[in-house]
Every structure is written in structure tokens, then in C-alpha cells.
Amino acid sequence: MLTIDLRSDTVTKPTAKMREAMSKAEVGDDVYLEDPTVNYLEKRAAEIFEREAALFVPTGSMGNLICVKLHTQPGQEIIIESRGHILNYEVSSMSMVAGVMPRAIPTSNGLLEWSQIEAAIRPPIYYCSQTGLICLENTHNMAGGAVMSKAQTYEICLQARERKIPIHLDGARVFNAATVLGESVAELTRHFDSVMFCLSKGLGAPVGSMIVGSRTFIEQARILRKLLGGGMRQVGVLAAAGLIALEEMPSRLGEDHANAKLLATGLAEIDNIKIDPESVQSNILVFDISKTGQNTSQFSSKLKEKGVLANGINPTQMRMVTHYDVTKEDCQTALKVIKGLIVN
Ligand SMILES: *Cc1c(COP(=O)(O)O)cnc(C)c1O
């Protein structure tokens, strides 16, 4: 039976070229810093982001946690948008492991403005908890892949620097953001103190994310990675796939964005589905089905019976994510399936 998996770009399977590179990868013990493929991946990531150093980590969640912990002291607050991944989908690692509390700011489009951040910075009064870090997310996952512009990003980073508050980017999909903006990832992320990005999402690697930053920051991050149980041995087999993800996959992300737009435009024409196709910039779309009289779990199971996989993010909103394992034709088929479900 046909399956069109629009649940996430995490479902991408390694390409034939990745599997081939994995089988041939030179490996060594990475805890001894002796895995040549990992070393090369870290060197290339640092070069591409124009930073001093980079670190391969098993997951984006671990990468974010390492950065949150390194930038903060227990008892501090981090400023984050309310729907941010670090706050909602990484267990409670910021509080359990780093000992910090979120200062969550709601926005309509997922994109924080400096004025909102500034208003959330705690005053320097001894009985107030203090702001230790600002976290941004670009693209913003739960806000439908919303993209923060370079100008807005720079303003926030430069203001944060002036206030001497470190700033971290959850850049799980920063290559998607850079593609939409026509910028390099180095240019877009230049003023962050640290950046995490995922090799395992739209870039298609089976496992792995990376942190980039200064040499001393990455040295500290390596210690914390080990502390968290993330010191890996002959992991060049994964880094080999990661290298292809990093070097070759960013240039095709525009296809995913075009497919997401196609889906959004088609969905907007279906009665009782609410989405503004203009708001869909990257590879994620969120649409409202409350007028269909179905909730998202009913809607998802009916879609699944027809071979289309997609999940709700709450009872009224569905999310779809395009990636290289779904073609334009698949998206057209998915639209037909959805139309059928709404009409019947
Ligand atoms: C996927 C994702 C992460 C990291 O997730 P892992 O599954 O731990 O790799 C972090 N931030 C955002 C915005 C994400 O979408």
C-alpha cells in the first residue's frame, strides 16, 4: 500500500550514497579524538559556519541541553518563545539538568521581537531570578516553520550582546531558514554565541546533530557531552552520512519548500480547512481543521487508512512536514486523499 509520510522530516531514510559512505568510513575511537571521519565532519561544520570549532552530538536535544547548561548558572532563567522546542519537547532537561527556569514569551507567529525580549529580562534586584540566556529557534517548528529574517536576528543578537546576555540558536532547521532567506548559514548565525543544527532532519542523515561555537566553548561542550553519556566510539560510520548531509543536502531543500507551498495552496482551497499559504515559507505547515467537525486524532486515523501519515499538534491543528522522501506527486496525492475525506 502507498504510504506518504508527512509526520516529520525526521522520518527521512539515509540515501544510497550515505549508506555507501557509511560502509566505507574510516573509523577510530572518538573518545580518544581518533575518529578521522568525525574529526573531518567537525572541521567542515566549523568551516561552513565560519566558527572556530564544532562538536558532533547524538541528538539535537543533547546539543541544546549542553549549550543551555554551558551558558547558564543554576537558578537563572532562559528567555524562550512559548512554543519553543527546548521548552516543550526536550523533557524538562533545562530544569532537571541545567537547573534553569524558562521565561516563556507567547507570540502569534513564533518570532520574538527584541522589545518582547527586553521586557522579559529580569531587573538586577537581589531577590529576582536573573536572565542567563536567550534562545531563538529558526526555523520555528511549531509556528509552521516560520523563518526569522537576518535583520531581526541581528537586532536581537546585538542587543543581547550589549546587555551581556548570551544567545543560543536552536537551529535544528537553520539550513531551511538560510535557503528561504538566500543567505549562508554562517552569515545568518554569525552573532550567536552557540548554534545547534540537525543533520538528521531535512538533511537526511540517520542520526546526529552538531554544535558550533568558539574553541573554548566546544572544549567545554565535549566534557558535558561525555558527562551526559554521549561520548561515542567508532562513530565515523554516522559521521560519514552526516558529511553527505552537510555538504550535499542543503542545496535541495528548496524542493521541500516548494512542495510545502503546493500542499498549503491546495489545502486552502478545501472547504473547512484553514491555512494561509502565504505564511508557509519552509517545509512545515500547520492547518486548522476545527470546522470539519473532526478532531486531529480522528482526522489522522482516517488519513492513515488511506496511506497518508500526519499528526495533530493539538486537537484542532494538523502539522505536515515535507522532505526528500515525499515527491511533488506524493503531495498531490495527499491533497486528493484529504479532499476525499472532507467531502465524504
Ligand atoms: C528536532 C528538533 C530538535 C532536536 O531534536 P532531536 O530529536 O533531539 O534531535 C531541536 N529543536 C527543534 C526545533 C527541532 O525540531
Side-chain angles (χ1 to χ4, degrees):
M1 191 182 96
L2 123 140
T3 304
I4 300 170
D5 196 342
L6 294 162
R7 289 171 301 170
S8 176
D9 46 10
T10 57
V11 302
T12 46
K13 306 228 167 82
T15 63
K17 196 165 173 190
M18 285 179 190
R19 286 184 183 272
E20 164 129 14
M22 291 169 81
S23 72
K24 293 187 176 147
E26 262 190 77
V27 297
D29 191 329
D30 183 49
V31 173
Y32 294 164
L33 310 175
E34 284 173 5
D35 189 298
T37 311
V38 173
N39 291 342
Y40 186 61
L41 173 66
E42 291 176 347
K43 177 170 175 278
R44 287 296 297 137
E47 283 168 2
I48 288 168
F49 281 76
E50 297 174 16
R51 296 293 179 130
E52 287 175 5
L55 184 71
F56 185 56
V57 287
T59 64
S61 298
M62 187 189 283
N64 280 332
L65 174 58
I66 287 170
C67 294
V68 167
K69 174 120 185 87
L70 279 179
H71 287 303
T72 58
Q73 296 298 321
Q76 289 185 324
E77 294 187 0
I78 73 171
I79 291 176
I80 185 164
E81 201 275 337
S82 294
R83 285 173 286 169
H85 196 277
I86 296 177
L87 173 55
N88 295 282
Y89 306 104
E90 301 184 8
V91 199
S92 306
S93 66
M94 75 163 82
S95 58
M96 286 181 68
V97 181
V100 296
M101 302 199 298
R103 174 68 53 177
I105 307 178
T107 65
S108 57
N109 60 2
L111 306 175
L112 287 168
E113 308 264 355
W114 171 251
S115 58
Q116 296 169 297
I117 294 171
E118 188 173 37
I121 296 173
R122 304 309 309 285
I125 301 175
Y126 80 90
Y127 53 77
C128 291
S129 52
Q130 294 294 296
T131 305
L133 179 67
I134 297 165
C135 290
L136 300 185
E137 185 174 314
N138 201 9
T139 64
H140 193 302
N141 185 342
M142 282 300 139
V147 179
M148 186 179 281
S149 71
K150 186 171 99 168
Q152 194 168 342
T153 304
Y154 276 25
E155 192 201 353
I156 295 171
C157 289
L158 297 176
Q159 294 279 6
R161 185 176 297 167
E162 205 150 285
R163 302 291 287 260
K164 298 196 166 38
I165 300 170
I167 182 158
H168 168 71
L169 178 66
D170 176 349
R173 296 185 181 82
V174 70
F175 282 94
N176 295 83
T179 300
V180 171
L181 297 170
E183 298 282 350
S184 69
V185 287
E187 186 69 6
L188 187 58
T189 64
R190 188 170 307 291
H191 300 296
F192 287 95
D193 295 288
S194 55
V195 179
M196 184 289 291
F197 70 93
C198 294
L199 298 165
S200 60
K201 301 222 163 131
L203 302 185
V207 178
S209 293
M210 305 207 72
I211 312 171
V212 298
S214 70
R215 192 170 308 287
T216 48
F217 184 85
I218 295 299
E219 276 167 14
Q220 293 299 311
R222 191 181 295 282
I223 297 169
L224 258 184
R225 183 186 68 177
K226 188 77 176 102
L227 181 145
L228 294 170
M232 300 172 283
R233 302 293 178 175
Q234 286 73 27
V235 73
V237 286
L238 295 179
L243 269 164
I244 293 169
L246 182 64
E247 305 275 14
E248 296 180 21
M249 301 299 272
S251 64
R252 58 153 306 285
L253 291 173
E255 281 173 45
D256 299 342
H257 302 171
N259 285 338
K261 198 65 137 185
L262 180 141
L263 271 175
T265 310
L267 286 167
E269 287 166 4
I270 302 176
D271 281 346
N272 296 330
I273 286 187
K274 218 176 97 193
I275 183 168
D276 173 13
E278 286 301 309
S279 71
V280 176
Q281 295 175 281
S282 61
N283 70 328
I284 303 179
L285 44 144
V286 172
F287 56 96
D288 187 288
I289 60 156
S290 45
K291 289 228 184 82
T292 65
Q294 302 177 42
N295 66 33
T296 48
S297 65
Q298 295 165 325
F299 196 75
S300 295
S301 25
K302 286 196 187 154
L303 279 180
K304 191 173 174 186
E305 282 169 22
K306 307 275 183 203
V308 176
L309 304 183
N311 290 329
I313 58 171
N314 57 46
T316 60
Q317 289 181 300
M318 295 290 300
R319 186 183 77 148
M320 288 183 168
V321 186
T322 56
H323 51 79
Y324 77 81
D325 279 340
V326 291
T327 60
K328 184 175 171 187
E329 291 69 39
D330 289 336
C331 293
Q332 286 160 338
T333 308
L335 278 173
K336 276 193 206 127
V337 168
I338 296 167
K339 252 181 222 162
L341 283 186
I342 303 276
V343 173
N344 298 318

